[in-house]
Amino acid sequence: MRTSLCLLYIFTLRHEPVAALGAMGQIVLVHSRGRGQHPGMFEELSHSDPGDLAKLGELIRDIRIALLTTVDHDGRLHTRPVQTLQVDDADRSLWFFTDWNSPKVVELYHDVRVSLGYSDPAKNVFVAVSGSGSLFRDVQKAKQLWSVEQRAYYPEGPEDERLAILRVLIERAEYWTAPGRTSYLVAAMTAAVTGTPASVIGENRKIK
């Protein structure tokens, strides 16, 4: 009887619905040259739909801080933390501030390819994004993205000459979400009783 309840619980997790969020606006970019699983128990779906993209945006907004990776002049990977200021579901864009003197500016000039990783282990949420980055100056867009804590980096405000806007166009993305620890304990108990490893705990979506 206990085994049957465990299996029923896992079956329910496999068919858990996905939430959705609304869309946001868009803007233009400036020039740039260049070449344009988690080994766990997840429900893997290779197709994508608007609901997947909306869910992706929801997860990114919640985590906000990402590890941004660019390619330097020698072809080596350079990774650093960045704060996501805005997510545009409609045009598949992520928006950030950076300094015109930052190494990423030179790196993006030579190679526009970037990747972003978001992680919230406490909630068992993980996001990976790959795409192309572009840099430009736009005071009005900077005002839209501005928050008071940004003045620590740009004392002159949105008009600061050092402030560059980075837009990442999402080309591919993937996210993984999993239930809490109790679900893993139930799955472990079921595997111990049946001798069969759990095939699915959570959800994995790919967006192209």
Side-chain angles (χ1 to χ4, degrees), residues 2-52:
R2 179 179 298 179
T3 301
S4 299
L5 288 174
C6 291
L7 293 173
L8 176 61
Y9 186 57
I10 292 172
F11 179 84
T12 302
L13 291 175
R14 295 184 64 171
H15 295 80
E16 190 172 347
V18 178
L21 256 195
M24 300 175 70
Q26 73 130 5
I27 197 165
V28 271
L29 64 100
V30 111
H31 83 110
S32 197
R33 289 191 303 169
R35 298 184 294 273
Q37 344 194 278
H38 193 283
M41 298 165 288
F42 294 93
E43 180 181 4
E44 183 174 337
L45 299 173
S46 58
H47 71 283
S48 61
D49 57 40
D52 296 340

Side-chain angles (χ1 to χ4, degrees), residues 73 116 128-129:
H73 187 267
L116 292 151
V129 172

Side-chain angles (χ1 to χ4, degrees), residues 99-122:
D99 193 311
W100 281 110
N101 296 317
S102 168
K104 71 174 73 68
V105 172
V106 177
E107 292 162 358
L108 285 169
Y109 180 73
H110 290 284
D111 194 327
V112 300
R113 294 176 300 168
V114 302
S115 70
L116 292 151
Y118 296 83
S119 173
D120 187 347

Side-chain angles (χ1 to χ4, degrees), residues 3-203:
T3 301
S4 299
L5 288 174
C6 291
L7 293 173
L8 176 61
Y9 186 57
I10 292 172
F11 179 84
T12 302
L13 291 175
R14 295 184 64 171
H15 295 80
E16 190 172 347
V18 178
L21 256 195
M24 300 175 70
Q26 73 130 5
I27 197 165
V28 271
L29 64 100
V30 111
H31 83 110
S32 197
R33 289 191 303 169
R35 298 184 294 273
Q37 344 194 278
H38 193 283
M41 298 165 288
F42 294 93
E43 180 181 4
E44 183 174 337
L45 299 173
S46 58
H47 71 283
S48 61
D49 57 40
D52 296 340
L53 191 59
K55 179 66 174 182
L56 177 76
E58 177 185 355
L59 298 176
I60 291 175
R61 291 184 189 97
D62 187 49
I63 300 173
R64 295 184 65 198
I65 303 300
L67 287 176
L68 169 70
T69 300
T70 51
V71 183
D72 70 14
H73 187 267
D74 296 320
R76 296 171 300 190
L77 301 178
H78 184 185
T79 304
R80 78 288 277 168
V82 291
Q83 180 182 5
T84 310
L85 302 177
Q86 184 174 311
V87 182
D88 283 347
D89 298 333
D91 66 351
R92 300 169 66 109
S93 295
L94 304 174
W95 299 88
F96 310 85
F97 284 160
T98 191
D99 193 311
W100 281 110
N101 296 317
S102 168
K104 71 174 73 68
V105 172
V106 177
E107 292 162 358
L108 285 169
Y109 180 73
H110 290 284
D111 194 327
V112 300
R113 294 176 300 168
V114 302
S115 70
L116 292 151
Y118 296 83
S119 173
D120 187 347
K123 296 181 179 180
N124 294 312
V125 175
F126 307 91
V127 177
V129 172
S130 61
S132 57
S134 54
L135 294 154
F136 59 97
R137 190 189 306 278
D138 184 327
V139 174
Q140 292 306 312
K141 183 64 179 179
K143 288 180 178 178
Q144 180 185 344
L145 300 173
W146 187 258
S147 60
V148 64
E149 63 263 26
Q150 297 297 331
R151 200 169 289 275
Y153 306 101
Y154 309 102
E156 302 302 319
E159 296 85 3
D160 198 311
E161 292 186 359
R162 294 170 42 254
L163 191 157
I165 295 176
L166 167 62
R167 177 203 187 211
V168 173
L169 179 63
I170 300 172
E171 296 172 358
R172 299 171 65 92
E174 191 167 0
Y175 65 79
W176 301 260
T177 63
R181 185 168 179 267
T182 302
S183 301
Y184 286 95
L185 293 176
V186 171
M189 208 165 42
T190 303
V193 171
T194 64
T196 303
S199 60
V200 174
I201 300 179
E203 180 183 38

